[in-house]
Amino acid sequence: MASGKDSDRTLGYMTRKDTEVKLPRPTRVKNKTPAPVQITAEQILREARERQEAEIRPPKQKITDSTELSDYRLRRRKEFEDKIRRARWNIQVWMKYAQWEESQKDYARARSVWERAIEGDYRNHTLWLKYAEFEMKNKFVNSARNVWDRAVTLLPRVDQLWYKYIHMEEILGNIAGARQIFERWMQWSPDQQGWLSFIKFELRYNEIERARSIYERFVLCHPKVSAYIRFAKFEMKGGEVARARHVYERATEKLADDEEAETLFVAFAEFEERCKEPERARFIYKFALDHIPKGRAEDLYKKFVAFEKQYGDKEGIEDAIVGKRRFQYEDEVRKNPLNYDSWFDYVRLEETVGNKDRIREIYERAIANIPPAEEKRYWQRYIYLWINYALYEEIETEDVERTRDVYRECLKLIPHSKFSFAKIWLHAAQFEIRQLNLAGARQILGNAIGKAPKDKIFKKYIEIELQLGNIDRCRKLYERYLEWSPENCYAWSKYAELERSLAETERARAIFELAISQPALDMPELLWKAYIDFEIAEGELERTRALYERLLDRTKHYKVWVSFAKFEASSAEQEEDEEEEPQEEIDATERKKECIRQPEIFERANSYYKDSAPELKEERATLLEDWLNMETNFGNLGMYEEYIDYLYPEESQTTNLKILEAAYKWKKQKLASSEEDYD
């Protein structure tokens, strides 16, 4: 018994080894040089063809008497019956069996075979077609009618059966019978092609009224654009213009909102063009453009532009071109209604046309697309739609109340608790000022400060009140401004500048003092500079020096030291210019003391960088350069000579000390020259 490894139930009593195909061992080619005579593929095929043996065919059987014929028929029928018994579902066997019986002129047996086949599968329309063709080919007309009638009764949805049945009756000249078959078919509401075949049948026999009545039933069964267009073309072909127009009008009433309405309107307009009615065609085009969604009106716009170029004037052509661009913008805003740039372009296009109602409609549609999130970056472009809308109402339409409503609705819409826009508040206030409504402008700006205070709003409000000369209001606004933003150095400086312009020196000084005492400032250097410039302008040199000293207590930036030194130098020159000539010799000592203050400041700065901040080398170098430049401009450095000193690697550690020694040497020379001048 074979082992389980080699046995397999599907192989019966054989093993896998018995079923293996043993191929001959390939012959090794020892000599791989090319043969002297080469054989082509064509030659191989030709030789194979020549050596092919003749096909073995069975001998032809000659039947000589009726007995042999009967035996032959019996044998063939038995073969067919055996095949049918084995494969009753095979239609080809039935068809060959019936065709063989037909070839033997035994029509009754052939008909019996067809009936047996149909009894087995009556839903196969091919059997019915072949059965009816058998009856027709052998001129059994009534039998063929019987077969067709049974076929269309059992399979009324197979159009081919109806076509063949009608075709047979029409060939036989039975027009009434063919019409009756069509009527039976139409009761099943076939597709459009069936109705059109019925219409063509009637037109072949010049039955116009019958065809018209069939068209009426056709459009009721298939209320589609293509059906109405065919009906109208039928009437137009018969010269019935009024009937054709009536058909188009019925179609527009029923199918104006259909997906294929564009095709209907184009066909209707072209019909009016052929009837020499350009005004009617223009009205149809415009009606269609107003009612069809823009996304489905591309072909319609092209047709309208071509129509206007042919029949319209300059204005009509421009209107058609604008309509085409309008279609493009409608498509863009339909795809992405939050693309505000497309809305801007669309509004600009409508403003060139000048239709106020349409412009307002576009603006209203645009502002209805509120940004999806309450984040300022989403609203930055959107807010300009409101601004442009308000400016259009104010400038173009001159409708004051509508403009005021636009601003009011916009301010209601913005979530001021999260973010706001100063520009919309300012535009609304400036609008009220242009309308000489000062109280309304103050109310708007006051609401802005209360709900969403911003620098721009404070600045503009103060500017307006200052132009009106309301100083007390300006002071109150500055106080509100500084309460809201006490670290704003710009506000402090402007407030003090206002008081100084009013000759309120003490108030301005008090404001500066209050400003520099704030714990946090956004730009303190500007505030201190403004305060110092204020004291210099007032001629308060001692106060200025005190301010510099206070500033140096807070910061030791090298620019502060340089600015302090420059102030001392300029103050010395200023005092010298202001003194009269007779007093020059008396106060020479005081002037020298003033001049000495400048280098003292630089010495203090140098000492600070040397002792307290040695890491700030660049600032110290810059300070020394400025000191050198100022001394060059304000006095003599004494005699100096240039010398060259060579620095070796072992001396590199003492480089910094040599720089300090040179600085001390220069300082001693400077003090000695000053004492000699004094003596």
Side-chain angles (χ1 to χ4, degrees), residues 91 94-95 111 113-137 143-156 158 160-162 164-165 168:
I91 302 301
W94 288 103
M95 293 173 62
R111 190 175 290 112
V113 173
W114 285 117
E115 290 292 341
R116 288 169 60 192
I118 288 172
E119 185 179 357
D121 188 9
Y122 73 92
R123 290 188 177 86
N124 193 327
H125 68 281
T126 305
L127 283 174
W128 289 103
L129 290 172
K130 295 295 182 181
Y131 187 10
E133 287 177 1
F134 155 73
E135 298 288 4
M136 291 167 60
K137 183 168 58 175
S143 297
R145 284 196 179 105
N146 185 26
V147 172
W148 287 124
D149 192 81
R150 290 164 59 195
V152 298
T153 302
L154 293 173
L155 303 173
V158 180
Q160 191 176 8
L161 298 175
W162 292 102
K164 292 284 186 179
Y165 192 7
M168 184 193 76

Side-chain angles (χ1 to χ4, degrees), residues 398-620:
E398 299 180 355
D399 192 338
V400 176
E401 290 301 323
R402 196 177 184 91
T403 306
R404 189 173 285 116
D405 292 339
V406 171
Y407 280 122
R408 188 181 299 114
E409 292 299 324
C410 178
L411 292 173
K412 286 182 181 179
L413 184 64
I414 299 173
H416 299 289
S417 59
K418 296 184 177 180
F419 60 86
S420 185
F421 294 92
K423 58 177 71 68
I424 194 67
W425 291 104
L426 297 178
H427 275 286
Q430 289 169 351
F431 162 73
E432 296 295 347
I433 291 173
R434 287 192 292 272
Q435 305 304 319
L436 303 180
N437 184 8
L438 189 59
R442 283 174 174 160
Q443 183 179 2
I444 291 171
L445 293 173
N447 290 335
I449 292 174
K451 292 182 178 180
K454 286 181 173 290
D455 289 333
K456 291 182 180 179
I457 297 175
F458 278 109
K459 291 175 185 178
K460 193 65 180 178
Y461 198 0
I462 292 169
E463 179 184 347
I464 293 172
E465 295 295 350
L466 189 59
Q467 290 175 353
L468 296 174
N470 296 321
I471 304 302
D472 292 335
R473 284 183 177 271
C474 291
R475 285 172 175 159
K476 291 180 180 179
L477 288 174
Y478 271 121
E479 291 173 1
R480 290 285 303 277
Y481 192 2
L482 294 172
E483 288 177 4
W484 171 68
S485 179
E487 74 281 355
N488 193 328
C489 294
Y490 173 85
W492 289 106
S493 301
K494 288 295 181 180
Y495 192 9
E497 184 180 342
L498 171 66
E499 296 295 349
R500 184 191 173 196
S501 64
L502 299 174
E504 295 286 348
T505 306
E506 293 301 325
R507 291 178 66 95
R509 185 174 288 116
I511 291 169
F512 274 123
E513 287 293 335
L514 187 60
I516 62 176
S517 64
Q518 297 298 318
L521 295 171
D522 54 359
M523 299 178 70
E525 65 277 5
L526 296 182
L527 182 63
W528 280 94
K529 184 178 183 304
Y531 193 5
I532 291 170
D533 292 342
F534 164 75
E535 295 293 358
I536 292 174
E538 294 295 327
E540 298 289 343
L541 301 181
E542 292 300 326
R543 289 180 179 272
T544 307
R545 291 189 183 96
L547 279 177
Y548 270 118
E549 293 295 340
R550 291 166 63 185
L551 180 57
L552 288 173
D553 292 338
R554 299 192 179 192
T555 178
K556 296 294 193 298
H557 197 277
Y558 84 94
K559 288 186 177 181
V560 178
W561 294 103
V562 173
S563 178
F564 193 5
K566 289 182 179 180
F567 159 71
E568 292 294 354
S570 61
S571 63
E573 290 184 353
Q574 182 180 359
E575 291 179 357
E576 184 177 353
D577 293 338
E578 290 177 356
E579 289 175 351
E580 297 179 358
E581 293 181 358
Q583 298 177 351
E584 184 174 358
E585 294 179 357
I586 299 173
D587 298 335
T589 303
E590 296 297 329
R591 289 200 304 271
K592 291 298 180 181
K593 291 180 180 180
E594 296 290 339
C595 294
I596 292 173
R597 287 177 182 173
Q598 173 190 345
E600 289 179 353
I601 295 170
F602 278 117
E603 288 176 2
R604 288 171 57 191
N606 187 34
S607 300
Y608 166 75
Y609 283 116
K610 180 179 67 175
D611 300 333
S612 301
E615 69 278 1
L616 301 177
K617 296 181 180 180
E618 294 184 1
E619 286 79 356
R620 185 181 180 189

Side-chain angles (χ1 to χ4, degrees), residues 90-299:
N90 194 338
I91 302 301
Q92 295 298 325
V93 177
W94 288 103
M95 293 173 62
K96 289 180 179 180
Y97 190 8
Q99 290 170 358
W100 181 82
E101 292 289 359
E102 182 184 359
S103 67
Q104 299 299 313
K105 306 298 181 182
D106 196 343
Y107 301 117
R109 283 182 178 274
R111 190 175 290 112
S112 175
V113 173
W114 285 117
E115 290 292 341
R116 288 169 60 192
I118 288 172
E119 185 179 357
D121 188 9
Y122 73 92
R123 290 188 177 86
N124 193 327
H125 68 281
T126 305
L127 283 174
W128 289 103
L129 290 172
K130 295 295 182 181
Y131 187 10
E133 287 177 1
F134 155 73
E135 298 288 4
M136 291 167 60
K137 183 168 58 175
N138 295 288
K139 299 182 180 179
F140 299 118
V141 177
N142 290 331
S143 297
R145 284 196 179 105
N146 185 26
V147 172
W148 287 124
D149 192 81
R150 290 164 59 195
V152 298
T153 302
L154 293 173
L155 303 173
R157 294 298 179 186
V158 180
D159 295 344
Q160 191 176 8
L161 298 175
W162 292 102
Y163 284 127
K164 292 284 186 179
Y165 192 7
I166 294 166
H167 181 63
M168 184 193 76
E169 295 293 351
E170 194 172 1
I171 290 176
L172 295 173
N174 187 10
I175 307 303
R179 184 177 292 115
Q180 186 178 3
I181 297 168
F182 265 122
E183 291 293 344
R184 286 177 58 189
W185 188 15
M186 295 305 110
Q187 292 177 3
W188 290 96
S189 300
D191 58 5
Q192 293 191 23
Q193 192 59 41
W195 288 94
L196 295 176
S197 299
F198 193 8
I199 293 168
K200 290 179 181 179
F201 168 79
E202 296 293 354
L203 291 177
R204 280 199 297 271
Y205 299 100
N206 203 23
E207 294 289 345
I208 305 299
E209 290 300 326
R210 286 181 180 272
R212 183 175 289 116
S213 64
I214 296 169
Y215 263 121
E216 292 288 347
R217 294 159 57 191
F218 174 38
V219 297
L220 291 176
C221 181
H222 296 281
K224 296 182 179 180
V225 171
S226 57
Y228 278 100
I229 291 176
R230 287 180 180 275
F231 191 8
K233 287 183 178 179
F234 161 75
E235 297 291 1
M236 188 64 184
K237 188 175 181 180
E240 298 289 342
V241 177
R243 288 178 180 271
R245 184 176 289 116
H246 180 64
V247 171
Y248 277 121
E249 290 173 354
R250 286 169 54 191
T252 53
E253 290 176 1
K254 294 183 178 181
L255 304 175
D257 299 329
D258 191 80
E259 292 182 356
E260 299 180 354
E262 178 188 5
T263 306
L264 174 63
F265 285 116
V266 170
F268 195 4
E270 290 177 349
F271 161 76
E272 295 294 353
E273 287 185 52
R274 288 193 293 271
C275 295
K276 309 299 181 184
E277 294 287 348
E279 291 301 325
R280 284 177 174 268
R282 183 177 289 107
F283 177 79
I284 292 167
Y285 276 123
K286 291 183 177 180
F287 178 82
L289 291 174
D290 292 338
H291 288 78
I292 293 180
K294 308 304 179 184
R296 303 202 308 261
E298 184 175 359
D299 186 56

